[in-house]
Amino acid sequence: MPQVQLIPAPAQGALDAAEEAVDLLLDNGRAPGDILVLTTGEAHPWAAHELTFGEASYWAQHDARDDVFYADAAQAERAAVRPVVVVAANGGSEELVARALPVALGRAATLLIVCGDPQQFNSVLGAGV
């Protein structure tokens, strides 16, 4: 079971909080390919840009594991397990967040970082986190 870390942030600040968490992980020696970032609302700008080149090219970058990979939480099932998964709860329905968190937990080998409204996560992940 991975360690779970919650970073309280409003929905509009969740992506910034996730970016800061990724920067901290990289600064502490974590390899970029170890990190998967999932967004529940608007896509991360990198993902939105890369998807303009097509799904095949986008997912090929995921499979290459050369860098941090950003994906929509609704597509989390398609992502491979990585040591660290960062979830930015930057919008989206409560139902999407409720579905995304257990999948994200399953994709995180050692650490799951969740950025957003703690009340939303505690109800999904259980009060024990």
Side-chain angles (χ1 to χ4, degrees):
M1 183 84 168
Q3 179 186 348
V4 178
Q5 182 181 346
L6 301 179
I7 300 175
Q12 64 271 23
L15 195 54
D16 288 339
E19 287 288 346
E20 288 174 23
V22 168
D23 288 346
L24 195 59
L25 289 163
L26 296 173
D27 289 347
N28 286 321
R30 182 63 76 173
D34 284 356
I35 304 169
L36 170 67
V37 179
L38 301 173
T39 54
T40 62
E42 192 174 314
H44 185 278
W46 178 89
H49 174 75
E50 292 301 320
L51 280 165
T52 63
F53 301 106
E55 290 264 335
S57 165
Y58 172 75
W59 286 102
Q61 293 188 57
H62 166 268
D63 297 340
R65 293 176 164 260
D66 291 333
D67 209 343
V68 177
F69 190 77
Y70 299 86
D72 187 315
Q75 296 182 308
E77 289 92 0
R78 191 166 172 184
V81 170
R82 290 206 179 186
V84 180
V85 176
V86 180
V87 177
N90 61 330
S93 69
E94 294 254 346
E95 182 187 340
L96 172 65
V97 174
R99 274 199 327 266
L101 288 176
V103 174
L105 192 60
R107 295 297 179 270
T110 57
L111 177 62
L112 171 65
I113 300 173
V114 186
C115 305
D117 178 0
Q119 289 183 317
Q120 204 172 18
F121 311 130
N122 288 339
S123 62
V124 175
L125 294 172
V129 292

